Amino acid sequence: MSKAPVAPPAHVSGQTVPDFSHSSLPRHVAIVMDGNGRWANARGLKRTEGHRAGEAALMDVIAGAVEAGVEVLSVYAFSTENWKRSPAEVKFLMTYSRDVIARRRDELDSWGVRIVWSGRPIRIWKSVNREFEKAVEQTKHNTGTVLNFCFNYGGQAEIADAAGKIARLAAAGKLNPETVTAETVARYLYHPQLPPVDLFIRSGGERRISNFLLWQASYAELLFLDLPWPEADRLTLWDCLLWFGGRERRFGTAVDRVSPAY
Ligand code: IPE
Ligand code: IPE
Ligand code: MG
């Protein structure tokens, strides 16, 4: 039996969640939490202090997603390419992500958040894996916002892993390669039940995807913010959700709207 969720604490400004009932809300929001290192360096601090400051931003944005009723929030915490950073920074990111999940697990659980993890298990420290597993297990019956914590995650790796699973089934005679479609591939992603990404946000000023949710974001609306991640909060998220409500999504279709002026 899961317990009734409690509301997250209010935003420091006292501002409450806007009424989204008249605009379309994205089911799945993906965030590249970028700009931590530059934010810290610009303040005369080491890069790792930027990661540290990102924790409060993450918790506030999750609170905002819960309040707005976003179904899935995917956050990019460590990419398959981030191993190229200095050993000290990689070590910090391992330890820090593990500790954030460990110390925030009960709070997220109390808000009704279901935590899932996306990524490759190889190379992740055992103690980090253990904390992720604990959080997933503890929150698995929650029915609120899903927090998809992407750690040692790469979009290409996820698609390659799906291709590998399909190839193994085909080699074992359990799947006919002639019948493979996009839907087949989607079934072998890390979390096939999650809906496609509707809104893809990247903080930190760069206009790139950096290998995040390549398959799932194929029709996402892209929003690039100059704001560094440590300065983001739920108000930032709500602004993004309002912007999304004004987008016209076409998914390849077209509408004739001849201008009356001609
Ligand atoms: C994003 O911030 C966090 C991770 C990649 C773990 P960065 O560390 O990339 O910060 P910048 O982009 O160098 O400022
Ligand atoms: C993307 O940011 C990865 C995460 C936020 C975890 P990066 O900072 O690693 O991306 P690039 O290297 O600037 O493309
Ligand atoms: Mg970066």
Side-chain angles (χ1 to χ4, degrees):
M1 254 315 253
S2 56
K3 47 249 150 282
V6 300
H11 184 255
V12 279
S13 69
Q15 227 167 295
T16 54
V17 64
D19 178 8
F20 291 110
S21 60
H22 301 293
S23 68
S24 60
L25 201 63
R27 291 183 67 194
H28 186 167
V29 177
I31 307 184
V32 180
M33 306 183 289
D34 194 32
N36 296 350
R38 281 166 289 155
W39 177 88
N41 283 172
R43 280 158 185 74
L45 303 168
K46 288 201 316 199
R47 294 178 50 78
T48 47
E49 292 309 309
H51 301 315
R52 228 186 267 286
E55 177 180 353
L58 174 61
M59 289 304 288
D60 205 69
V61 166
I62 297 171
V66 170
E67 290 178 323
V70 170
E71 266 178 65
V72 184
L73 180 69
S74 289
V75 294
Y76 208 5
F78 188 87
S79 75
T80 45
E81 288 69 45
N82 287 149
W83 294 101
K84 295 176 197 160
R85 297 191 176 192
S86 74
E89 186 169 349
V90 168
K91 184 170 176 223
F92 180 91
L93 288 167
M94 282 288 137
T95 319
Y96 197 65
S97 297
R98 178 191 67 199
D99 297 349
V100 167
I101 291 293
R103 70 171 156 261
R104 299 296 189 165
R105 189 176 61 227
D106 288 346
E107 198 174 357
L108 293 171
D109 188 21
S110 75
W111 300 349
V113 170
R114 180 159 72 88
I115 301 170
V116 300
W117 162 69
S118 288
R120 276 191 164 162
I122 43 164
R123 289 184 84 182
I124 299 187
W125 297 0
K126 278 203 178 60
S127 64
V128 180
N129 262 328
R130 263 200 304 276
E131 282 310 328
F132 289 169
E133 277 167 18
K134 247 194 254 175
V136 168
E137 179 61 27
Q138 180 175 331
T139 62
K140 70 179 177 195
H141 296 303
N142 288 348
T143 54
T145 300
V146 174
L147 176 69
N148 179 25
F149 196 76
C150 300
F151 190 91
N152 198 21
Y153 175 85
Q156 291 183 341
E158 182 178 24
I159 297 167
D161 288 349
K165 289 175 206 160
I166 291 168
R168 278 191 293 280
L169 287 171
K174 292 180 180 156
L175 186 146
N176 176 0
E178 303 305 325
T179 64
V180 173
T181 61
E183 285 71 32
T184 321
V185 177
R187 272 204 297 281
Y188 292 95
L189 298 175
Y190 296 144
H191 293 289
Q193 73 286 4
L194 298 185
V197 175
D198 299 301
L199 175 59
F200 183 110
I201 302 167
R202 180 179 187 136
S203 64
E206 307 293 357
R207 270 78 176 146
R208 55 179 174 255
I209 291 169
S210 300
N211 203 14
F212 193 37
L213 297 170
L214 296 181
W215 184 279
Q216 298 86 339
S218 60
Y219 262 101
E221 299 293 325
L222 306 178
L223 192 44
F224 297 102
L225 310 176
D226 289 330
L227 189 82
W229 179 248
E231 291 177 15
D233 64 6
R234 76 186 83 180
L235 305 185
T236 318
L237 176 73
W238 292 342
D239 278 349
C240 296
L241 298 181
L242 288 170
W243 173 86
F244 176 87
R247 302 299 305 154
E248 183 188 74
R249 304 183 78 196
R250 289 193 280 274
F251 299 99
T253 64
V255 184
D256 226 350
R257 279 199 205 104
V258 179
S259 168
Y262 289 89

